[in-house]
Amino acid sequence: SPIYEKMISFIRVLGSICYVLSTIESANAFAPLRAHAKIGDVHKYNTQLAQSTTEINPTLKNGPLFLEALIGIAINGSPWEYMLKMKEKGYDGVVPVDLSIFGKYNFLLSPESVRAATVEESSILPRRFSVPLFETLELDRGIVYEQGERHKRNKRMCIPSFEQSQSMESFVGATKAELDDLSLSFQAKANDDDSNIDLYAEMRKSALNVVLDVSFGLGKEGASNFQRADELSKTIAEYLERIVALANEIPPLWQISPRLSYNYVRVTDVVLPNLRKLVSEVIEARRLEGEEGKKKRNRADLLGVLVEQLDDNADVRLILFDVVIAGSDTTASTSTAALYLLHQDGNKEWLERARREAEETNAGRDIPLEKIRSTMPVCVSIAREVLRLYPPVPFVGRTATGSGSLLDGKYPVEPGDTFCFSPWFLGRDPTQWANAADFYPQRWLDDPTNGGAPNNFSWLPFGAGLRGCLGTRLGLTEVTLGIARLLVDFEFDFETKGPLPVKYDLTLNLDGVMNCKITSRTPRGTNI
């Protein structure tokens, strides 16, 4: 509305004035970093930054004032983008950010502080910060947002289905089979006069099929005879769409009066009850499965693993919900973003290098899991670079349940304190990365471990420590194979041009902005 627009404009003007006044004192602190271009120079300039900011403003450890922080977040658009401005002003390590009625937080602005909070002192910071909506949507009792001993138990039970070699090979097999189907579907559409598709929507469907195949045992190779598999797939797809729409509501009607929100009513009254019923039927069918069915399954079938260890169907269902959301949205957004970035004018060299590698390796069809990274380094590097710039989740909070400290007693921790780190900020911090804002996969070819960053906690798209993602290796592999296969088979002409149009809700969301025209291509020297 016009009133809303005027209000936002006023806040931006006021914020700009406050920001300029508050940054004059430390304006020169970040200057040495603006000109550097070589990865090896990051260490030197990082030292210069630390020395200059300490000399200019030794009180930065107290954090920004309330108004400065609130307006800074409003102007920059998000807490994680504001973190970059804080770093530019000289803030580092653990920085308190008091947002008054919005809460008190501690921003982690160095990889060392993130390591301390997520690994070294994780025992006093075990709780993942959550919001009331997650409880309503049953997102707080699976793995990602579950707490305490239940979180440890749930994650421990799932590990075999993500890390054992037989399980991982089954996952890769399901991914390759799904890519065959996706390619056939795209080929049919490419032959039509109207060959436009929503690539993100198509990739979400494909990723969801893989998750259902492997986790539920409902795919082409699944041992389950569940007769309502298609209905389950459609219901899960609507569930994901509705909770994303709910998270994006402006104003958030569900917080004012839940019954005013169509998405809230639809999820709580229709979709979620139906989903509970369908998943419960799957679980019961698995519990009644005979020995012959069990022999056909393998350890990649997460549902089979869970029903063997949990008597409560609700516990099984909630864990599966988490796996579905994390496993489908993350892969779909990363694969789509990679293909979009490769087709932008400045990245044609990487498009050709990736396509050449994909053709030479037959898009990874015949490559075993343990050799994919070494055999397809360009596609792997592209996937890692996309995850550096556009991690699935931009901002993560940890809440303390005990007393202690971080970084050898430098920063005290008390029960109830919330510490926040941002994979988005860590991946773009110019004190850690050369040409931090640039899409530059070469950094991963030069340094496959850290991408040229001096600290491996500068790249955390999958989190770290006890709450790190179970599917890190599988997710990276699925993205790599997806990029390779689609580059071999198709040309993409996106309607949108320029920087990736990014929006975050529960995860990175590219809904509605990845429309493109596809053209089938004849690969060179490859039998497709």
Side-chain angles (χ1 to χ4, degrees):
S1 67
I3 294 177
Y4 176 77
E5 291 175 358
K6 289 180 180 178
M7 181 181 69
I8 292 299
S9 298
F10 172 77
I11 290 176
R12 285 177 174 168
V13 171
L14 177 61
S16 298
I17 296 171
C18 294
Y19 181 74
V20 169
L21 292 175
S22 63
T23 54
I24 289 175
E25 189 174 15
S26 57
N28 294 325
F30 208 59
L33 292 171
R34 297 191 179 113
H36 84 277
K38 297 181 180 179
I39 289 177
D41 289 342
V42 171
H43 302 273
K44 178 179 66 177
Y45 287 111
N46 195 15
T47 301
Q48 291 180 9
L49 175 68
Q51 292 172 346
S52 59
T53 54
T54 300
E55 294 170 0
I56 292 173
N57 194 346
T59 63
L60 287 175
K61 64 180 182 179
N62 295 326
L65 298 176
F66 161 67
L67 187 60
E68 178 190 350
L70 187 63
I71 295 178
I73 291 173
I75 291 174
N76 289 284
S78 67
W80 47 94
E81 291 171 291
Y82 179 52
M83 282 180 160
L84 278 181
K85 290 297 182 182
M86 292 177 69
K87 197 63 178 282
E88 184 174 344
K89 292 176 63 177
Y91 289 109
D92 199 8
V94 181
V95 182
V97 179
D98 187 349
L99 295 178
S100 186
I101 61 174
F102 300 104
K104 296 180 179 180
Y105 305 93
N106 296 277
F107 284 8
L108 305 177
L109 298 185
S110 69
E112 294 81 8
S113 64
V114 175
R115 181 195 296 273
T118 59
V119 177
E120 295 166 359
E121 303 296 338
S122 61
S123 61
I124 60 174
L125 288 162
R127 296 183 63 84
R128 179 156 183 170
F129 187 76
S130 185
V131 294
L133 176 62
F134 290 177
E135 181 178 352
T136 301
L137 300 178
E138 296 192 345
L139 297 176
D140 65 330
R141 294 169 53 199
I143 301 177
V144 178
Y145 290 98
E146 183 56 278
Q147 312 292 354
E149 292 302 318
R150 281 178 57 88
H151 169 261
K152 294 178 183 177
R153 181 203 68 175
N154 292 352
K155 190 167 186 178
R156 183 171 58 249
M157 285 188 297
C158 294
I159 287 175
S161 293
F162 288 89
E163 294 187 358
Q164 290 188 356
S165 58
Q166 183 181 1
S167 301
M168 298 183 75
E169 288 291 354
S170 176
F171 179 91
V172 172
T175 298
K176 293 177 179 178
E178 177 57 31
L179 286 172
D180 286 341
D181 288 351
L182 184 65
S183 181
L184 288 174
S185 173
F186 280 12
Q187 291 284 1
K189 294 175 181 178
N191 293 330
D192 292 340
D193 292 335
D194 183 10
S195 60
N196 289 324
I197 63 168
D198 182 337
L199 182 60
Y200 179 55
E202 297 291 341
M203 297 304 290
R204 287 182 70 181
K205 293 176 188 176
S206 178
L208 179 58
N209 288 340
V210 174
V211 172
L212 293 178
D213 184 344
V214 176
S215 297
F216 284 74
L218 297 177
K220 293 179 288 300
E221 304 301 326
S224 173
N225 291 317
F226 183 61
Q227 299 300 313
R228 301 174 69 184
D230 287 343
E231 184 180 356
L232 175 62
S233 178
K234 292 177 181 178
T235 304
I236 289 176
E238 183 179 359
Y239 175 71
L240 294 174
E241 291 173 5
R242 293 293 177 188
I243 62 176
V244 168
L246 190 57
N248 285 326
E249 278 189 349
I250 299 177
L253 296 177
W254 69 272
Q255 289 182 321
I256 301 169
S257 179
R259 306 306 296 181
L260 293 176
S261 169
Y262 172 76
N263 288 309
Y264 182 94
V265 173
R266 177 70 183 176
V267 169
T268 57
D269 291 8
V270 180
V271 180
L272 195 52
N274 192 31
L275 185 55
R276 291 192 194 106
K277 181 179 178 181
L278 287 169
V279 175
S280 295
E281 290 181 23
V282 177
I283 296 170
E284 283 302 319
R286 181 56 52 85
R287 291 195 188 280
L288 297 173
E289 185 181 62
E291 289 300 318
E292 189 64 28
K294 291 180 181 180
K295 290 180 182 178
K296 292 180 181 179
R297 286 193 287 105
N298 57 57
R299 294 294 287 177
D301 188 344
L302 178 61
L303 175 57
V305 173
L306 294 177
V307 298
E308 290 176 1
Q309 301 184 62
L310 292 172
D311 295 327
D312 189 344
N313 285 357
D315 284 347
V316 177
R317 184 184 73 239
L318 293 167
I319 293 173
L320 290 174
F321 279 10
D322 260 10
V323 171
V324 166
I325 294 173
S328 56
D329 265 12
T330 297
T331 302
S333 60
T334 305
S335 300
T336 305
L339 290 168
Y340 177 83
L341 291 172
L342 288 173
H343 284 80
Q344 298 310 297
D345 289 340
N347 299 324
K348 294 299 183 183
E349 175 189 353
W350 288 105
L351 173 64
E352 293 305 316
R353 289 180 65 175
R355 181 166 279 151
R356 184 165 57 250
E357 178 184 87
E359 291 174 350
E360 292 172 351
T361 59
N362 197 20
R365 286 183 182 82
D366 308 315
I367 301 174
L369 173 64
E370 67 273 10
K371 293 185 178 180
I372 287 177
R373 290 194 183 189
S374 60
T375 309
M376 306 177 70
V378 174
C379 289
V380 170
S381 296
I382 289 169
R384 290 176 70 91
E385 183 70 348
V386 172
L387 287 165
R388 179 185 73 85
L389 292 169
Y390 307 102
V393 177
F395 199 70
V396 181
R398 296 281 187 270
T399 302
T401 58
S403 299
S405 64
L406 301 181
L407 298 176
D408 298 324
K410 189 175 181 181
Y411 302 101
V413 178
E414 296 298 334
D417 289 351
T418 297
F419 291 77
C420 304
F421 71 92
S422 167
W424 188 94
F425 159 76
L426 290 169
R428 293 168 177 263
D429 181 357
T431 69
Q432 304 295 315
W433 301 93
N435 302 316
D438 295 345
F439 176 72
Y440 187 60
Q442 184 64 42
R443 70 179 84 239
W444 297 102
L445 293 172
D446 295 339
D447 180 3
T449 302
N450 292 338
N455 192 306
N456 61 359
F457 270 65
S458 292
W459 189 81
L460 292 182
F462 299 105
L466 294 175
R467 287 192 169 274
C469 178
L470 282 168
T472 298
R473 186 181 179 192
L474 295 181
L476 189 59
T477 299
E478 188 176 0
V479 172
T480 300
L481 291 174
I483 294 171
R485 180 60 186 271
L486 293 179
L487 286 180
V488 166
D489 291 355
F490 304 98
E491 300 280 0
F492 297 86
D493 183 11
F494 289 88
E495 292 179 4
T496 302
K497 308 296 181 184
L500 184 72
V502 175
K503 177 176 66 175
Y504 280 102
D505 33 59
L506 296 178
T507 57
L508 175 61
N509 183 3
L510 301 174
D511 189 35
V513 294
M514 290 290 104
N515 295 322
C516 62
K517 179 180 177 63
I518 53 174
T519 305
S520 180
R521 61 187 303 274
T522 303
R524 300 186 297 273
T526 308
N527 183 19
I528 299 298

